[in-house]
Amino acid sequence: MSVRDLLPWGRNNGNQVPSLLRDDERDPFLSLHREVNRLFDDVFRGFGASLPSLRGASSFGAGWPSVEISDTDKQIKVTAEVPGLEEKDIEVFLNDGVLTLKGEKRSETEDKEKQFSERYYGRFERRIPLGTEVEEDQVDATFKNGVLTVTLPKTEKAQSQVKRIAIKS
């Protein structure tokens, strides 16, 4: 066996040029199929690995507004970013252990000649299940600089149900 037999382009009398592409990548239909799959993957990746929610009249998708949730022994704190909105544009509800944030962002101008816009306008609704009992009469909501903060104190019963479990090595 000659060393030339081990070189892929050395076969067939040496008239084949080395290629960086595999045989299946030379096929235009397979290449087109791969590009269409990549396109759909890129489009649906923007939806947070799921299709947008159809339950609410939301033009923002299922994940707007962006929230942070902190859960301590005594309270749950929910912080939501709602830039461009004012306090009067937002409603906060607590019903059956679910915190609901609702609102609407309106366009400041009615420019019909807009060619392109990445800004969001429309209604949103975000429901956050709390998973624990809270003192409904002591819930506090504040709004400052486009950030909504809702503090939900836990009931004494919910605080006493927290049990620390020891980790053994």
Side-chain angles (χ1 to χ4, degrees):
M1 176 182 228
S2 169
V3 175
R4 279 200 147 144
D5 293 336
L6 297 175
L7 299 174
W9 61 86
R11 294 185 200 131
N12 300 333
N13 298 328
N15 58 3
Q16 195 176 21
V17 179
S19 173
L20 297 175
L21 300 174
R22 296 186 316 233
D23 288 338
D24 62 337
E25 291 177 341
R26 290 184 198 152
D27 184 0
F29 292 108
L30 284 175
S31 179
L32 175 65
H33 179 70
R34 193 173 290 116
E35 287 298 314
V36 169
N37 283 343
R38 186 186 58 77
L39 175 69
F40 277 101
D41 288 344
D42 289 347
V43 167
F44 288 113
R45 188 174 296 122
F47 292 119
S50 65
L51 293 175
S53 174
L54 299 176
R55 283 181 282 163
S58 172
S59 64
F60 301 105
W64 199 87
S66 299
V67 298
E68 287 182 346
I69 302 172
S70 63
D71 187 358
T72 64
D73 293 340
K74 297 192 183 290
Q75 69 182 10
I76 298 172
K77 188 175 184 180
V78 178
T79 306
E81 287 185 350
V82 284
L85 270 70
E86 296 178 15
E87 187 177 338
K88 64 180 175 58
D89 299 325
I90 302 169
E91 295 178 299
V92 179
F93 300 102
L94 180 62
N95 188 16
D96 291 333
V98 177
L99 180 69
T100 304
L101 310 175
K102 291 174 92 173
E104 182 174 6
K105 185 174 181 184
R106 296 175 190 88
S107 175
E108 297 89 23
T109 61
E110 290 294 323
D111 188 7
K112 300 293 183 193
E113 297 180 13
K114 253 187 248 179
Q115 297 292 324
F116 179 78
S117 176
E118 290 183 344
R119 299 177 70 191
Y120 294 119
Y121 300 106
R123 307 182 111 198
F124 67 87
E125 181 173 328
R126 185 84 189 258
R127 294 173 186 238
I128 303 165
L130 300 175
T132 187
E133 294 179 19
V134 297
E135 297 283 348
E136 293 185 13
D137 56 335
Q138 295 180 8
V139 173
D140 182 46
T142 59
F143 185 82
K144 184 177 180 182
N145 296 332
V147 178
L148 173 70
T149 304
V150 182
T151 306
L152 305 123
K154 292 182 179 179
T155 62
E156 291 294 327
K157 180 181 173 187
Q159 290 179 30
S160 66
Q161 288 178 346
V162 175
K163 181 181 176 186
R164 182 170 295 265
I165 300 170
I167 302 172
K168 300 173 186 169
S169 57

